[in-house]
Amino acid sequence: MKHFLRTFIIVAAVHIAFSPCLAALISFKAEQLEENIIRETLSFVLDEPTTYTVSDYTVVNQVVVEFPGNVASIGELRLEAMNSALVERISSYRGNIIIHLRHVPVEISDTFDQDPFMIQVTLEGDKRRITQVQDNMRQLRRSLAGELELEFSTKTPVAGISGHTPLVTGLTPEELLQLELRSSALSMIDPYREDRGLRELNTPDAMALRRGLENINSGQYLDALDDLLYIIRQHPQSPFVEEATFLLGDCYRNISQEPPGLQYRDAIAVYEKAMELYPNSRYIPKAMFGIAQSYENLNNRSTAKYYYEMIAELPTINEYIGPALLSASRLELEMNDPEAAIQAVERLLDYDEDHWRMEAYQRLTSLHHMEGDYQESARFFTRLQEEYPEFGTYEPELLLEAARSYYRTGQLRESAHNLQKIINVYPAYDDAAAAYLKLATIHFDVGNLDLSQMYISELTGQFSQSEDAARGQLLQARILKELDLCDDALGMYSLVEFGSYGRTLEQPILKGKVRGEICLGNFDIAESLARQFLSRFGLSDKADVVQSLQHEARYRRARQKYEENDIQESYDLLRSYIQEQIQLPDDEENYQRIIDLAERNYYLLGEIQLEESSTAALEHFREFLNRYPDGDFSEDVQRHIRDLEYRLTHEEIEALQFQQAIERAQSAVEEFDSGYRSSDFRDLQVYTLFKQGEFLFNNGNYDEGSVYFDRIFHDFDDTPYAEQARDFLIRAGRGNVFEAYSSSDYVAAVDQFNIYSDYLVHSHEDYFESGKMASQSYTRLGFYDRGMEHIDEMEKNLPAAYSDRLEDLRALNYWGLQDYQRLIGVLGPRLASGEPMMPEAYRVLAQSYSRENQTDEAIDTYLSAADALAENDPQNSRHMRFDAAQLLQNSGREDEAREQYEQLVGEYELNPSLDPVVVDAYYELVEMARRSESHQRVVELCQQVLDLIGNDHDQTLHFLDRKARAYQGQGDIARAIPVYERIVEQDPDGPFGLRARQELQSYQWNERVRERLQ
């Protein structure tokens, strides 16, 4: 390719200062190649080889030359447009060389990177495109110059280009940032704007507009106002009237008036009037932006925010959308609505303009970091890097925020990369110490203790008096603890504690000392320090961590006691955790160790209680399952619980606590329906019901007892207890019928038979005996027909062997019907044939003979019954014999009657309960002997009966009286007197006693008379 050299410029002795000590010279040349291609080359000649990188940031019209490990410093070098079509100026910023480009299409290459002593940056552009863009940009700058206000603390003079002229210092970093933002905004080309060539004319209106714009840019708003009003008033047909009208708002907004705020209201009025006059103007976004700024100056944030947001709602894309949405976001943040602030910025991502998107990503990174949404913060910064990989220079504040977000989301490599960039690129950054500390922390977290200590050393060396340096020492203490240098770690904590930041860092110091004491095995001291922390900083975000350390210390103490076999002490140390069920922080290992040891201790304590109290052990083991349902000992505990429930049920039965036992057994059956002891509990349930029923039966409470036996009989008929329950129910039925019948409650007797008939029928004899009493109850009640029906029902349920006895019952019913002849006709032949009959049948047969005046037959019936019943029913036998003796005595056959009485008392053997008929028989014998004046026989009979009945019988006094009189009849006063004295002693005020006292007094009187006569 043929080269056409246009110009060559040498910038002699332009010095770049480096730290460490290094120097470089800059040279520049420009070339015009074929096909309208322009090439410009910047050469940096170094004193010695130095590593460098060239980064293409043409998206913001910059090329950045970085020197890792060196900090470059140069005053600003400007190149005139006639000499350079591509490069505008060269400056340094935070240790890097910045090549500022004009707003033209440029391609960049580093062509001599193989030469270690020279850096050459080559830029190429198409002259035709450059000319077109430059013309457009001249017009765009003039129109936007007043729109983005930049206030500098110092003005930047422009030095001549000379090797002997020192270059002045460039703008401050903050001013450079403002310029970069301005450049970003100016790079937006509005395709709808017309050519601005008219402004270059020397017509009065064009000249006035140029002066006005220059005055606005220089802050001379009053002069600018005159220029703009001149156009509007003197040249109303000028094409610049529309622009001048909108620019008036800028002037009014910046011209101070009294009272304060008036200037902003005037500006708003001017802007609104301009929009009214030119509703379709291209300057509408500019006016709305000015209105929003004015309302913001008036502290009317909501209205200002409304206008900022409306700019983004306009139908065409304009250069104010980005600044407007960013301003709206800022206002949302000031109004404490960070979510709305984030949404406002996110709207910028809907546009393709790179400078908007880049600014949005950066703002979103910061906003989400501020809100604690570190995941989103890291995500947006990652998107920024992915979408604009060529743009690697970010503010250190943003890098630090991104690094912290990456750290919080576990992206440690990305976090460390950003932190390293802060340290390398911005070593003088105010928060560089924080970057060192965070880097040391990251390496500590991943186990790179050596690297962590290296960064701590750098931190404490460069920023020894900073709080971050003190925090670095705390991290160093943690590293020492990890290396088991626990004493050294505690010493480091003490060093920080008594340093300048001891009070500020009291929380991490206390937390670290807790760790150190645990490391040394001083668990009680560690717990004390932890309690101190929690009492003072209970609401701290580190409270959970310290509580976890406290748990660890308690666990280790408890573990020591456990290994010493002091289970109770070990348990007591963990009791608060067991009883209160404290939920530990998310510390899986520590939590699990405590739970495991607590579970083991709690289980062993339960086993100890097994020997002491079954109830306490059961409660203990049930509480165990509440706390450790899936623990290692849960299966053993389940077996213990079942054994204890079984044991306690038996203990309650033995203690006659039947209701508790029934409830416990029922609950156990429901709870343990399968597995170990499940069948035992079903049997035990029946057993408890049976024992309750048995207890009630044994105490005569048949009705309540029957309830339990009835349940067994019907619900548990497949168990051995069902048959026993039936037997008890049979006993209950017969007993209840007998009790009611004996007390003449015949209705109840019938009812009880009907209630228990289903059970009684299983025992024929009990069924018959109970049915017999029910039949006789019908007879007593006069329901003879119902009585006969009842007997017929009984016959259906009884075997044929009971036919005769049922006939006896029917005969008893004939007695109730007073059908004596029929009764005799039925029972007489049976008696004659010697067939056994019921006692009642004998009696009603004898009574029927008496009613029919057949006394001899009645006597024979009684005596036959007495003989027939003598062996199996001696009591009824005696009654039959007594009734026969009575009939004999009444018939005047005293000798025969005496013989029967004598036989009755002679055959009687004393039973636990005295048979009254025996006493009656003695009574009759005594009276018969008394009437025959057989005094000695009376004495003998009375002595026999008195030996039989004792002193407490109601007939005792009668027989004593008869005995005394018999002695008196014999003339044996001496024997009569003690008997009378005994009567007086037992019945002092009764009739027997009074008579005995009279007899005794009579004996005494006679004795005194006898003594006087002698």
Side-chain angles (χ1 to χ4, degrees):
M1 177 181 295
K2 185 176 180 180
H3 292 73
F4 296 91
L5 183 63
R6 184 184 66 136
T7 184
F8 184 79
I9 302 174
I10 296 294
V11 184
V14 178
H15 181 73
I16 305 176
F18 286 86
S19 177
C21 183
L22 188 64
L25 292 176
I26 302 178
S27 65
F28 172 81
K29 74 175 179 179
E31 301 172 276
Q32 180 174 338
L33 309 180
E34 292 181 346
E35 299 179 348
N36 296 311
I37 301 300
I38 296 174
R39 174 187 292 166
E40 296 182 358
T41 304
L42 279 167
S43 300
F44 302 82
V45 182
L46 309 173
D47 288 347
E48 60 185 58
T50 303
T51 58
Y52 68 93
T53 59
V54 177
S55 301
D56 181 359
Y57 296 137
T58 53
V59 69
V60 291
N61 301 308
Q62 290 180 0
V63 178
V64 178
V65 184
E66 299 175 85
F67 301 88
N70 294 280
V71 178
S73 177
I74 184 176
E76 187 176 75
L77 174 63
R78 288 185 176 272
L79 300 177
E80 295 295 336
M82 65 175 58
N83 296 324
S84 171
L86 303 181
V87 178
E88 181 181 29
R89 56 192 170 91
I90 305 169
S91 66
S92 63
Y93 179 62
R94 296 193 175 181
N96 302 322
I97 300 299
I98 310 297
I99 302 172
H100 299 268
L101 307 178
R102 302 184 190 280
H103 299 282
V104 295
V106 176
E107 293 182 3
I108 299 174
S109 63
D110 180 13
T111 58
F112 288 91
D113 56 356
Q114 72 274 14
D115 186 349
F117 291 90
M118 179 179 290
I119 303 171
Q120 287 191 333
V121 180
T122 301
L123 305 100
E124 292 185 357
D126 190 319
K127 183 178 179 180
R128 289 168 298 182
R129 292 188 62 197
I130 291 172
T131 302
Q132 178 183 359
V133 171
Q134 285 179 339
D135 290 341
N136 290 336
M137 287 307 302
R138 278 194 299 271
Q139 299 176 26
L140 182 59
R141 283 197 185 94
R142 289 192 181 97
S143 66
L144 294 181
E147 298 171 8
L148 295 173
E149 299 178 13
L150 299 174
E151 297 181 358
F152 304 132
S153 58
T154 60
K155 297 299 179 181
T156 305
V158 179
I161 306 302
S162 169
H164 303 287
T165 304
L167 297 179
V168 297
T169 305
L171 299 177
T172 66
E174 291 73 16
E175 292 167 346
L176 283 174
L177 178 61
Q178 291 289 329
L179 287 173
E180 288 170 5
L181 292 176
R182 181 169 181 263
S183 298
S184 297
L186 292 176
S187 66
M188 174 70 184
I189 304 300
D190 187 347
Y192 298 101
R193 292 201 173 182
E194 65 185 11
D195 183 71
R196 298 304 178 126
L198 293 175
R199 290 185 181 177
E200 305 300 327
L201 299 176
N202 289 325
T203 60
D205 55 344
M207 295 172 63
L209 181 61
R210 289 198 297 272
R211 285 195 307 272
L213 291 173
E214 290 174 357
N215 286 327
I216 288 174
N217 290 337
S218 62
Q220 304 298 320
Y221 294 104
L222 282 174
D223 293 339
L225 185 62
D226 291 339
D227 294 326
L228 298 172
L229 290 175
Y230 168 78
I231 297 171
I232 295 171
R233 293 170 180 171
Q234 301 301 323
H235 301 279
Q237 302 303 319
S238 170
F240 305 123
V241 170
E242 178 182 341
E243 184 176 1
T245 303
F246 281 92
L247 287 173
L248 285 176
D250 293 351
C251 294
Y252 278 107
R253 190 168 62 84
N254 290 283
I255 297 174
S256 299
Q257 300 185 53
E258 292 294 336
L262 180 60
Q263 65 196 79
Y264 306 119
R265 287 189 285 273
D266 287 349
I268 292 169
V270 171
Y271 284 131
E272 290 177 342
K273 185 63 176 178
M275 291 192 295
E276 179 184 347
L277 292 172
Y278 305 100
N280 299 317
S281 174
R282 65 176 65 90
Y283 301 111
I284 291 292
K286 171 184 176 60
M288 294 179 70
F289 193 83
I291 291 173
Q293 287 182 310
S294 299
Y295 275 117
E296 190 174 350
N297 293 138
L298 291 170
N299 204 29
N300 189 342
R301 293 172 179 161
S302 59
T303 305
K305 182 173 71 70
Y306 168 78
Y307 276 96
Y308 283 135
E309 292 172 343
M310 288 303 297
I311 292 173
E313 302 298 330
L314 292 173
T316 59
I317 297 176
N318 60 83
E319 64 270 29
Y320 289 94
I321 291 176
L325 288 177
L326 292 175
S327 297
S329 172
R330 173 174 48 77
L331 290 178
E332 295 285 11
L333 205 58
E334 292 176 2
M335 292 187 290
N336 297 319
D337 192 350
E339 184 63 31
I342 291 171
Q343 293 174 359
V345 179
E346 285 180 339
R347 292 181 63 183
L348 286 176
L349 298 179
D350 296 334
Y351 299 93
D352 295 330
E353 283 69 23
D354 290 333
H355 61 287
W356 291 354
R357 295 179 66 83
M358 290 171 61
E359 184 65 22
Y361 283 135
Q362 295 179 68
R363 289 286 185 93
L364 289 170
T365 299
S366 298
L367 286 171
H368 282 293
H369 177 270
M370 180 185 67
E371 284 301 292
D373 190 351
Y374 304 111
Q375 193 72 40
E376 284 296 285
S377 176
R379 185 174 71 87
F380 279 112
F381 190 77
T382 301
R383 287 182 61 181
L384 171 62
Q385 292 178 304
E386 292 174 348
E387 196 166 327
Y388 301 100
E390 72 282 359
F391 187 74
T393 302
Y394 303 105
E395 288 301 306
E397 293 82 3
L398 181 66
L399 290 172
L400 187 58
E401 290 171 344
R404 286 171 172 164
S405 296
Y406 280 132
Y407 181 80
R408 291 297 188 94
T409 56
Q411 302 177 71
L412 301 185
R413 184 181 299 276
E414 290 79 2
S415 178
H417 176 75
N418 283 339
L419 295 169
Q420 192 69 53
K421 185 176 291 188
I422 293 173
I423 293 172
N424 293 340
V425 179
Y426 308 105
Y429 173 50
D430 292 340
D431 279 341
Y436 274 108
L437 178 60
K438 183 59 72 175
L439 266 174
T441 303
I442 290 174
H443 285 293
F444 173 81
D445 291 342
V446 298
N448 296 330
L449 302 186
D450 291 339
L451 280 176
S452 181
Q453 291 186 89
M454 183 189 75
Y455 284 110
I456 292 171
S457 177
E458 290 288 332
L459 169 62
T460 55
Q462 295 185 41
F463 310 95
S464 59
Q465 301 304 314
S466 68
E467 181 180 334
D468 287 318
R471 292 184 180 276
Q473 290 176 313
L474 294 179
L475 183 58
Q476 178 66 39
R478 294 182 64 187
I479 293 173
L480 293 172
K481 185 258 180 184
E482 289 295 317
L483 297 173
D484 289 331
L485 301 174
C486 304
D487 284 325
D488 294 340
L490 284 173
M492 183 64 72
Y493 285 123
S494 298
L495 179 66
V496 179
E497 183 179 11
F498 295 107
S500 302
Y501 298 97
R503 182 172 296 277
T504 304
L505 301 176
E506 187 174 4
Q507 290 190 41
I509 290 171
L510 270 176
K511 182 180 68 173
K513 292 176 73 174
V514 172
R515 284 195 172 100
E517 295 295 351
I518 291 175
C519 181
L520 288 175
N522 300 326
F523 305 124
D524 51 345
I525 298 176
E527 282 195 75
S528 177
L529 289 171
R531 285 193 296 271
Q532 180 182 345
F533 182 100
L534 294 172
S535 66
R536 299 182 59 184
F537 309 110
L539 299 179
S540 166
D541 58 349
K542 301 300 182 183
D544 285 348
V545 177
V546 174
Q547 190 175 33
S548 179
L549 292 172
Q550 182 185 19
H551 297 340
E552 181 179 357
R554 179 65 64 89
Y555 164 76
R556 294 200 179 188
R557 286 180 63 194
R559 186 71 188 182
Q560 281 184 339
K561 295 299 180 182
Y562 172 79
E563 291 172 354
E564 295 169 2
N565 204 30
D566 191 347
I567 303 301
Q568 185 63 52
E569 179 65 18
S570 179
Y571 167 71
D572 289 341
L573 288 171
L574 297 172
R575 179 168 51 189
S576 61
Y577 309 127
I578 298 171
Q579 292 178 344
E580 299 172 13
Q581 296 184 339
I582 293 177
Q583 296 297 317
L584 299 176
D586 189 13
D587 184 356
E588 185 66 26
E589 180 180 359
N590 191 28
Y591 178 81
Q592 195 57 47
R593 288 192 306 173
I594 290 176
I595 293 301
D596 290 345
L597 182 57
E599 178 187 352
R600 181 177 293 276
N601 283 337
Y602 209 59
Y603 175 75
L604 293 176
L605 287 174
E607 287 202 326
I608 292 173
Q609 291 183 353
L610 281 174
E611 304 300 326
E612 299 174 357
S613 170
S614 298
T615 302
L618 178 60
E619 293 176 358
H620 185 93
F621 282 127
R622 284 200 175 277
E623 181 62 22
F624 180 99
L625 287 183
N626 287 335
R627 298 180 184 183
Y628 315 104
D630 301 317
D632 294 337
F633 297 93
S634 58
E635 185 175 345
D636 292 336
V637 170
Q638 283 278 8
R639 293 179 68 87
H640 280 313
I641 288 175
R642 298 186 184 208
D643 287 337
L644 287 167
E645 291 285 10
Y646 192 81
R647 181 195 304 176
L648 284 171
T649 304
H650 278 285
E651 290 178 0
E652 288 168 346
I653 292 172
E654 292 173 3
L656 305 182
Q657 298 172 346
F658 298 110
Q659 285 304 310
Q660 294 93 316
I662 290 171
E663 292 174 3
R664 187 182 298 278
Q666 177 67 34
S667 298
V669 168
E670 295 172 357
E671 182 179 1
F672 312 120
D673 58 346
S674 62
Y676 178 65
R677 278 203 181 279
S678 58
S679 60
D680 293 341
F681 282 119
R682 286 193 291 271
D683 293 341
L684 185 60
Q685 181 185 20
V686 183
Y687 180 70
T688 55
L689 294 170
F690 180 82
K691 295 303 290 185
Q692 173 70 93
E694 182 183 47
F695 175 80
L696 293 170
F697 261 61
N698 292 339
N699 286 275
N701 193 342
Y702 299 121
D703 289 340
E704 292 187 21
S706 298
V707 173
Y708 296 95
F709 289 129
D710 182 72
R711 182 180 174 188
I712 295 172
F713 185 76
H714 286 95
D715 297 345
F716 305 98
D717 56 349
D718 59 340
T719 66
Y721 292 102
E723 185 176 351
Q724 297 183 50
R726 184 198 64 195
D727 293 342
F728 273 96
L729 288 168
I730 291 172
R731 285 174 50 195
R734 182 170 178 177
N736 287 350
V737 173
F738 176 78
E739 181 179 1
Y741 182 79
S742 300
S743 60
S744 300
D745 190 352
Y746 303 119
V747 174
V750 172
D751 289 340
Q752 289 299 311
F753 176 81
N754 292 330
I755 290 172
Y756 288 95
S757 61
D758 289 342
Y759 313 114
L760 290 168
V761 74
H762 292 279
S763 173
H764 296 150
E765 188 62 25
D766 291 302
Y767 179 79
F768 175 80
E769 292 297 330
S770 301
K772 180 181 70 175
M773 286 183 279
S775 173
Q776 291 175 324
S777 296
Y778 281 122
T779 301
R780 297 289 193 277
L781 293 170
F783 301 134
Y784 304 112
D785 293 338
R786 184 66 189 90
M788 296 300 289
E789 293 174 0
H790 171 74
I791 295 170
D792 292 340
E793 287 294 325
M794 289 177 62
E795 189 171 24
K796 296 177 183 178
N797 295 319
L798 290 172
Y802 284 87
S803 298
D804 293 341
R805 299 172 70 180
L806 290 171
E807 285 299 319
D808 294 348
L809 289 181
R810 290 189 177 93
L812 295 178
N813 214 41
Y814 297 151
W815 168 260
L817 293 170
Q818 297 182 2
D819 191 350
Y820 307 124
Q821 287 297 328
R822 187 173 182 181
L823 189 152
I824 292 171
V826 172
L827 297 181
R830 292 186 58 202
L831 177 66
S833 63
E835 294 181 16
M837 295 189 300
M838 296 188 322
E840 295 83 352
Y842 286 117
R843 185 173 301 282
V844 296
L845 177 59
Q847 291 174 348
S848 296
Y849 279 130
S850 294
R851 292 296 178 89
E852 294 294 322
N853 295 319
Q854 300 179 40
T855 304
D856 291 340
E857 287 79 0
I859 293 172
D860 290 341
T861 300
Y862 279 127
L863 291 177
S864 297
D867 293 337
L869 298 173
E871 183 176 356
N872 296 323
D873 193 355
Q875 184 175 8
N876 273 317
S877 173
R878 289 190 291 272
H879 281 269
M880 296 296 181
R881 192 172 299 281
F882 183 83
D883 290 342
Q886 290 278 295
L887 282 176
L888 289 169
Q889 191 173 354
N890 292 335
S891 301
R893 299 158 63 179
E894 286 205 4
D895 291 339
E896 294 180 56
R898 183 182 299 108
E899 181 181 351
Q900 294 302 321
Y901 289 135
E902 292 283 0
Q903 184 177 348
L904 191 156
V905 301
E907 294 176 353
Y908 177 69
E909 295 180 0
L910 182 62
N911 289 322
S913 58
L914 179 63
D915 190 347
V917 77
V918 176
V919 179
D920 293 340
Y922 272 111
Y923 181 90
E924 296 296 338
L925 286 171
V926 168
E927 292 303 313
M928 292 175 71
R930 184 181 65 80
R931 287 195 297 269
S932 64
E933 296 184 354
S934 301
H935 301 299
Q936 185 59 38
R937 182 58 180 161
V938 170
V939 170
E940 292 173 356
L941 289 170
C942 287
Q943 188 60 48
Q944 291 176 11
V945 72
L946 287 171
D947 290 341
L948 185 65
I949 65 177
N951 293 328
D952 298 327
H953 197 274
D954 57 358
Q955 293 290 334
T956 299
L957 292 173
H958 171 78
F959 288 115
L960 285 172
D961 181 70
R962 288 292 186 259
K963 181 179 180 182
R965 290 188 182 191
Y967 280 131
Q968 191 175 6
Q970 290 177 341
D972 192 349
I973 303 303
R975 292 187 176 181
I977 290 174
V979 178
Y980 280 128
E981 290 175 346
R982 182 178 173 186
I983 294 173
V984 172
E985 181 181 355
Q986 293 188 21
D987 188 34
D989 298 320
F992 288 103
L994 293 175
R995 184 180 179 287
R997 184 175 287 111
Q998 290 176 356
E999 292 294 336
L1000 290 173
Q1001 290 173 356
S1002 175
Y1003 293 154
Q1004 293 171 358
W1005 170 259
N1006 291 336
E1007 183 64 27
R1008 286 196 299 270
V1009 171
R1010 190 179 300 111
E1011 289 176 354
R1012 289 183 179 181
L1013 291 175
Q1014 292 177 352

